[in-house]
Amino acid sequence: MLNIISHSEEETLALASKLALLFKPGDVLVLTGVLGAGKTVFVRGLAAAMGIDESIVNSPSFTLVNEYQGEKTLYHFDLYRLGDSSELYEIGWDEYLSRDGLVVVEWGEKAEGYLPERYYHMEFGIVNETDREINISFVNGGD
């Protein structure tokens, strides 16, 4: 597990930009943490590193997924408003997981039981007004 303390939004954006270089199409990132912990800021940093205008990245309030085209495709899920896991099938969850793009899932704990065997888990926590703790691990349910 990798444990990082970010001291600002700028540091969270920079961290995401650096990590974006390591991810490949087909990877799934599951982001968990309370409101305001920095999950969407992190997604904006990923988007910028992928050649996507980060200003268009926001939490999909009324849709569960947004697709952003850049050098690579970013599929951004926000499951905060997910009422029932059956909604995942209605939006084509399994199809998205098999596409050739980076899949990022905010509030990923709501998809428990529907996540792939292998994914990156990023847990965001609030330390204080400006600092965020980000714990990154790789889940390999196939081992």
Side-chain angles (χ1 to χ4, degrees):
M1 178 185 300
L2 181 62
N3 179 274
I4 299 162
I5 299 294
S6 171
H7 301 287
S8 66
E9 280 193 20
E10 291 75 21
E11 282 188 19
T12 300
L13 289 167
L15 170 66
S17 290
K18 289 176 186 171
L19 290 176
L21 301 173
L22 304 174
F23 301 126
K24 58 188 181 311
D27 282 346
V28 176
L29 283 60
V30 176
L31 283 52
T32 61
V34 298
L35 279 171
K39 298 180 296 294
T40 303
V41 170
F42 186 85
V43 177
R44 284 200 305 265
L46 289 173
M50 296 169 65
I52 300 165
D53 178 2
E54 70 179 88
S55 69
I56 66 169
V57 176
N58 55 35
S59 292
S61 298
F62 298 103
T63 59
L64 296 177
V65 62
N66 282 333
E67 296 181 27
Y68 302 111
Q69 299 296 324
E71 295 162 13
K72 301 177 193 172
T73 304
L74 174 63
Y75 302 107
H76 178 204
F77 286 85
D78 187 326
L79 303 183
Y80 182 73
R81 298 191 191 283
L82 184 73
D84 181 277
S85 58
S86 66
E87 291 178 51
L88 292 172
Y89 287 107
E90 293 171 14
I91 61 170
W93 174 258
D94 290 335
E95 293 172 28
Y96 279 105
L97 294 180
S98 64
R99 289 185 181 178
D100 195 28
L102 183 63
V103 176
V104 181
V105 185
E106 290 190 52
W107 301 96
E109 64 273 19
K110 292 189 172 209
E112 192 171 339
Y114 297 91
L115 295 170
E117 285 188 356
R118 300 167 50 102
Y119 60 91
Y120 294 92
H121 179 221
M122 302 182 171
E123 184 178 359
F124 290 73
I126 298 174
V127 176
N128 59 40
E129 190 174 314
T130 58
D131 296 353
R132 301 296 184 260
E133 181 176 19
I134 305 167
N135 294 305
I136 304 170
S137 59
F138 184 71
V139 175
N140 188 356
D143 284 346

